[in-house]
Amino acid sequence: GPSRRKTAVRETEEAMPDTPVSGGSGSQPVGFESQPATALGEVRELIRGNAGAILLVVLACLATAAVYLWFAPPRYVARATLLVDPASSSMPEEYYIESQTQLMRSDPIVRAVIGQFDPADIVQDDKTFILDQARTVKGLLGEFLPTTASSTQDADPVQDAVSTLRRNLAITRPAMTPVIHLAYDATDARRAADIINTLIQVYMSHRQRDGITSAQQSVAWLAQRLDVLRQQVDKSEDAME
């Protein structure tokens, strides 16, 4: 009867769970928390809990930068441009110009440049700040520590100067052009310019010597070839007689 029907409907309603009905694409289940909001809250809590450590790291970085700017010497860059003529070589233009850039970095050229300067001055131009400070500390400790014979023999100021000059020297070449750009980085503006000018002079002298040597070799080859041809002509004349 009607009473039984009402009782059945009431029992059915009580048995149904309290789940929301999804009425659209934007609906979410009850109790669901947004994931980005939760992650942002965790980051805030992490920052609040470690604010002292974070501030200490920032201050340490600023102090390190201030110490570097205070003690690091100013640097100067001298630049020059060379126009290379590949017509004097039988090599293809690309290979010839690339060989000239390698020639400027070669050991004979670099050592010839260093020979006109004090190697200790060039070593002072080392870009590596940590190595420069380590060298300073080592020099201070050397005044109080005894110097052994092996340490003095291992030190080679010329080789150190060669390594420093190569690190501070930049040689670039724009693609498909016979132009070579030179740049040298140093702690003294005059020394940077002098090293660039000396490098160009040594390179040009080397090319002139190579040109003279090549011309002498060509003349010697031609003379030898003329002797061979003269002997062949003499043999031909003797055979005709």
Side-chain angles (χ1 to χ4, degrees):
S3 60
R4 293 180 181 179
R5 190 176 304 162
K6 291 180 180 179
T7 303
V9 171
R10 188 179 297 110
E11 292 177 354
T12 303
E13 293 176 354
E14 293 176 356
M16 292 178 60
D18 295 335
T19 56
V21 179
S22 59
S25 59
S27 61
Q28 297 179 350
V30 177
F32 179 81
E33 295 183 358
S34 177
Q35 200 65 17
T38 304
L40 183 60
E42 293 178 354
V43 172
R44 290 177 179 174
E45 293 297 330
L46 181 63
I47 294 176
R48 290 176 183 176
N50 301 275
I54 295 175
L55 181 61
L56 184 61
V57 171
V58 172
L59 292 178
C61 294
L62 293 176
T64 304
V67 170
Y68 174 79
L69 293 176
W70 182 265
F71 288 100
R75 307 203 61 93
Y76 305 90
V77 179
R79 305 180 188 276
T81 302
L82 283 178
L83 179 62
V84 180
D85 183 14
S88 58
S89 174
S90 59
M91 298 174 59
E93 179 177 346
E94 292 294 322
Y95 295 104
Y96 178 73
I97 298 177
E98 182 65 25
S99 67
Q100 299 309 298
T101 60
Q102 298 300 323
L103 176 62
M104 294 181 189
R105 290 182 174 274
S106 64
D107 197 73
I109 298 294
V110 172
R111 287 183 176 272
V113 173
I114 294 174
Q116 303 187 32
F117 297 89
D118 186 358
D121 293 338
I122 297 179
V123 172
Q124 290 179 359
D125 294 331
D126 199 331
K127 289 182 178 180
T128 309
F129 177 72
I130 297 178
L131 292 179
D132 185 42
Q133 298 306 314
R135 192 180 299 112
T136 302
V137 173
K138 183 178 179 181
L140 294 176
L141 293 177
E143 298 179 358
F144 302 98
L145 297 177
T147 304
T148 60
S150 60
S151 61
T152 55
Q153 292 177 358
D154 294 340
D156 187 358
V158 176
Q159 185 59 41
D160 292 342
V162 169
S163 302
T164 301
L165 193 147
R166 285 176 174 165
R167 280 194 298 268
N168 296 352
L169 178 63
I171 302 177
T172 57
R173 177 204 167 212
M176 307 300 293
T177 62
V179 176
I180 297 177
H181 297 298
L182 305 174
Y184 189 79
D185 186 352
T187 56
D188 184 82
R190 177 63 62 86
R191 183 165 58 249
D194 291 343
I195 289 178
I196 282 291
N197 293 329
T198 304
L199 176 64
I200 294 175
Q201 293 175 0
V202 171
Y203 165 73
M204 297 301 295
S205 299
H206 189 277
R207 285 193 59 187
Q208 291 176 359
R209 287 196 302 268
D210 285 350
I212 294 174
T213 303
S214 179
Q216 291 175 349
Q217 291 175 352
S218 299
V219 170
W221 181 84
L222 289 174
Q224 184 180 4
R225 186 61 180 168
L226 288 174
D227 291 338
V228 173
L229 293 175
R230 188 179 296 108
Q231 292 175 4
Q232 292 178 356
V233 170
D234 294 339
K235 290 181 180 179
S236 301
E237 292 178 352
D238 293 340
M240 292 177 63
E241 294 177 355

